[in-house]
């Protein structure tokens, strides 16, 4: 598992772009997309459309993953933190 960000390619609105994400964030992002039954590019496009213009796409994806995990943890209860 790499602690350094790795450049990954995505297609948004028909254009190729890249984001630099650490492996744990990328793997979790892929897991979330699969759980939602969405292609990773579709989920990235949703995040891109909702993000604040001062927030880069990679940061927006990290924040999305974090919020998703926090939401899952709160639904599971405090015992899931142990």
């Amino acid at each position: 598992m790499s602690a350094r960000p790795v450049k990954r390619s995505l297609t948004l609105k028909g254009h190729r772009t890249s984001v630099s994400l650490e492996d744990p964030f990328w793997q979790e992002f892929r897991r979330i997309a699969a759980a939602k039954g969405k292609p990773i590019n579709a989920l990235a496009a949703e995040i891109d459309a909702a993000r604040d213009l001062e927030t880069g796409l990679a940061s927006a994806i990290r924040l999305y993953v974090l919020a998703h995990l926090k939401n899952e943890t709160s639904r599971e209860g405090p015992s899931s933190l142990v």
Side-chain angles (χ1 to χ4, degrees), residues 6-20 26 29 40-41 44-45 48 51 56-58 61:
V6 176
K7 204 169 256 202
R8 322 266 183 184
S9 294
L10 294 168
T11 301
L12 302 176
K13 300 177 189 168
H15 299 284
R16 297 293 284 171
T17 190
S18 63
V19 293
S20 293
W26 182 254
F29 182 49
I40 198 158
N41 289 324
D48 184 47
R51 74 183 165 105
L57 181 57
I61 291 171

Side-chain angles (χ1 to χ4, degrees), residues 36-58:
K36 291 178 173 275
K38 295 182 180 185
I40 198 158
N41 289 324
L43 184 55
E46 287 178 20
I47 294 168
D48 184 47
R51 74 183 165 105
D52 167 317
L53 292 179
E54 285 100 39
T55 304
L57 181 57

Side-chain angles (χ1 to χ4, degrees), residues 20-42:
S20 293
L21 289 172
E22 297 79 4
D23 284 338
F25 280 105
W26 182 254
Q27 294 306 319
E28 192 60 27
F29 182 49
R30 291 175 55 99
R31 185 193 69 80
I32 293 166
K36 291 178 173 275
K38 295 182 180 185
I40 198 158
N41 289 324

